[in-house]
Structure formats: C-alpha cells, structure tokens
C-alpha cells in the first residue's frame, strides 16, 4: 500500500531542544514538502525538495532544517532557534510534473 | 493579503442539505485543488481542476478561470461529510502551492 508515513503523531519539545519529525514515502515521488498548520491560518511552506540532495527554503524556514539523502525520506528538524514551534506539521509529496499532492497524517508538536 | 480566500469559515448544515463552499484566488494558477481534512489531521485530495467541472459521488467542484473562483458543492449532505475543506492553488510561475484557511463543516443528523 503506497503512501506517506509521518512519525511520531505527537511530539513534545523541551526548551532548548532540537527535535526531528520523520517523513517517509513509498510513492516514488521526486518532490517532498513540509508545511506548518496553525489554527485559523492556511498551510505555510517550510521547506521543499524536488530532488535528492537538494532542497529550498519556503516562506517560514527560519528555525528549521531538513535533509534529503534518500528519495523516500525528508526529515524535518525543529531547532531551538524556532521560538514558537507549537503547531501541526504536515509532510506532502508529489510527482514534479504532476499537480496532485499526497499528504501524511501529520505530527502535532507541543512545547513542554 | 492571502492569495487564496475561502468562505464561509464555518458552516453548520442539517443532514440532507445542499452545501456550497467558495474559493477565490489572486494569482495565476496551473491547477486548483480541493482538500478534505478530518479531525485526525490527515488530508486527502478530493479534486484537482484546471477548468470546468468535476463530479465524484455527491461532490461537485467547479472553476471559473476568468473570475478566479471555484466552488465545492456537496449534495445530500451527511454527518460523515463533517470535516475541514481546504482550497489550494498551484502557482503557474513556480512550484509553490497556496492554501486557504479552510472551511469547517459540521453536518447535524
């Protein structure tokens, strides 16, 4: 069964700590995205990658980092520099030449 | 200013009612998407449109490219339709998607 798997579903961060959110896809998609969702706001792009070993900043990249060492994996690290990390994080993927986005089930990150 | 505006923000309907959710956008697009987000948080794609009209079961989506407007209709609404519906557009000048803030629909039995 093809799809996108995000883990964990819930994550808690202590002050000063870096945390990493996992995103894995077995759809053979080239493009992968990380979005942040806050109540009352549309999804905002954090980072995206269209090819292995390459990624670009989105609108709200400050305080976040990513890597794309494998086509299937696009982990997001929320660093201690991100002062307001509490949000719902969604990973998505697509075929670059196609329009349709496929989403994971999301990770809710909260600050302790 | 948001590139994608949706209305209404919240909508409550009786089971069986006909529902319309509207979306307006201000950028040039290659396609418009209607997405559904259930309380668990995961998002599924309902429609992808670049012109005209698409129908899937009780759901109908239309787009008017000249007016930069799209509507999502649900006929004979059911409590299981309760979810947040999100309009998204893909810019025709890059790889960027823009998302509306969503319409929260509650269908009461």
């Amino acid at each position: 069964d093809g799809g996108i798997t995000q883990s964990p579903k819930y994550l808690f961060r202590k002050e000063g700590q870096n945390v990493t959110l996992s995103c894995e896809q077995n759809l053979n998609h080239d493009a992968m995205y990380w979005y942040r969702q806050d109540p009352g706001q549309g999804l905002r792009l954090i980072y995206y990658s269209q090819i292995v070993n390459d990624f670009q900043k989105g609108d709200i990249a400050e305080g976040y980092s990513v890597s794309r060492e494998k086509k299937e994996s696009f982990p997001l690290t929320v660093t201690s520099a991100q002062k307001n990390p509490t949000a719902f994080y969604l990973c998505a993927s697509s075929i670059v030449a196609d329009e349709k986005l496929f989403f994971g089930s999301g990770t809710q990150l909260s600050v302790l | 200013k948001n590139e994608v505006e949706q209305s209404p923000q919240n909508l409550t309907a009786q089971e069986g009612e006909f529902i319309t959710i509207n979306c307006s956008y201000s950028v040039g697009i290659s396609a418009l998407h209607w997405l559904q987000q259930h309380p668990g948080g995961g998002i599924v794609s309902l429609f992808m449109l670049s012109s005209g009209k698409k129908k899937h079961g009780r759901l109908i989506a239309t787009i008017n490219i000249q007016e930069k407007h799209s509507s999502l209709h649900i006929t004979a609404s059911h409590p299981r339709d309760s979810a947040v519906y999100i309009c998204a557009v893909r810019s025709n000048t890059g790889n960027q998607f823009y998302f509306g803030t969503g319409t929260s629909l509650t269908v009461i039995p």
Side-chain angles (χ1 to χ4, degrees):
Chain A
D1 229 356
I4 300 178
T5 302
Q6 284 189 244
S7 63
K9 190 157 179 64
Y10 300 97
L11 187 58
F12 297 91
R13 193 191 89 167
K14 294 180 184 175
E15 198 170 326
Q17 188 182 39
N18 293 352
V19 292
T20 298
L21 285 60
S22 170
C23 177
E24 304 278 329
Q25 54 98 359
N26 60 3
L27 299 166
N28 201 32
H29 286 174
D30 293 306
M32 296 186 75
Y33 311 81
W34 273 106
Y35 291 97
R36 170 177 170 143
Q37 187 177 36
D38 294 278
Q41 295 192 42
L43 275 68
R44 291 182 292 167
L45 182 65
I46 305 172
Y47 269 98
Y48 69 98
S49 167
Q50 292 188 261
I51 195 169
V52 173
N53 292 324
D54 187 46
F55 46 83
Q56 284 76 43
K57 292 182 179 180
D59 301 317
I60 55 165
E62 187 174 343
Y64 300 97
S65 66
V66 293
S67 63
R68 188 85 187 276
E69 297 176 3
K70 298 187 299 181
K71 188 175 186 178
E72 302 79 19
S73 179
F74 192 41
L76 173 74
T77 297
V78 184
T79 75
S80 56
Q82 172 49 248
K83 297 307 178 190
N84 185 23
T86 297
F88 190 65
Y89 292 85
L90 281 155
C91 179
S93 72
S94 71
I95 300 172
V96 172
D98 199 350
E99 297 287 348
K100 195 171 178 183
L101 269 180
F102 293 79
F103 285 89
S105 55
T107 294
Q108 175 65 50
L109 175 63
S110 303
V111 176
L112 287 176
Chain B
K1 181 187 180 297
N2 291 334
E3 289 82 0
V4 180
E5 299 279 356
Q6 282 184 242
S7 64
Q9 263 191 307
N10 298 285
L11 184 54
T12 301
Q14 289 290 136
E15 183 173 356
E17 281 185 10
F18 181 84
I19 288 162
T20 296
I21 300 170
N22 294 301
C23 174
S24 297
Y25 54 91
S26 58
V27 296
I29 69 168
S30 57
L32 181 142
H33 301 251
W34 282 103
L35 310 170
Q36 182 189 56
Q37 185 173 31
H38 276 283
I43 293 177
V44 295
S45 178
L46 297 174
F47 292 104
M48 185 175 69
L49 293 162
S50 54
S51 65
K53 175 179 171 177
K54 285 191 176 180
K55 185 176 189 288
H56 182 70
R58 295 179 294 105
L59 273 60
I60 303 166
T62 64
I63 188 169
N64 185 318
I65 297 292
Q66 287 72 32
E67 294 187 6
K68 295 189 173 180
H69 181 269
S70 175
S71 293
L72 176 68
H73 306 285
I74 305 175
T75 62
S77 59
H78 190 276
R80 65 173 174 267
D81 297 325
S82 299
V84 175
Y85 292 84
I86 300 170
C87 175
V89 300
R90 184 170 188 169
S91 166
N92 61 5
T93 58
N95 201 34
Q96 180 75 291
F97 286 85
Y98 298 98
F99 295 84
T101 55
T103 295
S104 178
L105 171 65
T106 302
V107 181
I108 300 169

